[in-house]
């Protein structure tokens, strides 16, 4: 199992799964869940190497550097530490 951490909360996620449910349970708003609104933009504080590659939806929503959309990215393994952008 992989782990998503935000503030003092930690949620386990199956490897290869989207982190959508994990970040939503920790307070990140998921409005559309299809990568078109950008409300769920997060910063990856630690563990970017444990995520899949950025996808076209994320690029279109202006994600760059350590930003990703919580509804789109998948965790490959290990642990990531996130914080909401909004």
């Amino acid at each position: 199992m992989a782990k998503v951490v935000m503030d003092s909360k930690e949620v386990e996620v199956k490897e290869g799964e989207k982190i959508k449910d994990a970040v939503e349970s920790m307070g990140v708003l998921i409005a559309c869940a299809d990568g078109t609104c950008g409300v769920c933009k997060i910063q990856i504080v630690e563990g970017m190497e444990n995520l899949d590659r950025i996808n076209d939806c994320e690029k279109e929503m202006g994600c760059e550097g350590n930003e990703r959309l919580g509804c789109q990215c998948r965790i490959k393994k290990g642990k990531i530490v996130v914080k909401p952008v909004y």
Side-chain angles (χ1 to χ4, degrees):
M1 293 293 262
K3 293 182 182 178
V4 180
V5 179
M6 186 173 81
D7 297 327
S8 60
K9 301 174 188 172
E10 186 174 293
V11 177
E12 288 192 345
V13 179
K14 290 182 182 177
E15 293 178 352
E17 294 278 323
K18 286 186 178 179
I19 66 167
K20 174 188 156 316
D21 293 334
V23 296
E24 188 170 41
S25 73
M26 292 186 280
V28 174
L29 179 63
I30 305 288
C32 69
D34 61 5
T36 58
C37 75
V39 172
C40 63
K41 191 179 278 189
I42 54 175
Q43 262 186 350
I44 308 302
V45 177
E46 178 185 317
M48 183 69 99
E49 69 278 2
N50 295 330
L51 296 174
D52 63 343
R53 294 170 66 185
I54 192 167
N55 67 28
D56 290 338
C57 291
E58 292 172 294
K59 289 176 186 175
E60 289 174 14
M61 293 309 302
C63 292
E64 54 186 26
N66 65 342
E67 294 178 337
R68 298 294 302 268
L69 294 181
C71 73
Q72 293 295 301
C73 61
R74 295 178 186 273
I75 189 165
K76 297 185 297 188
K77 62 179 181 176
K79 174 177 116 175
I80 62 168
V81 178
V82 304
K83 77 178 198 180
V85 172
Y86 301 112

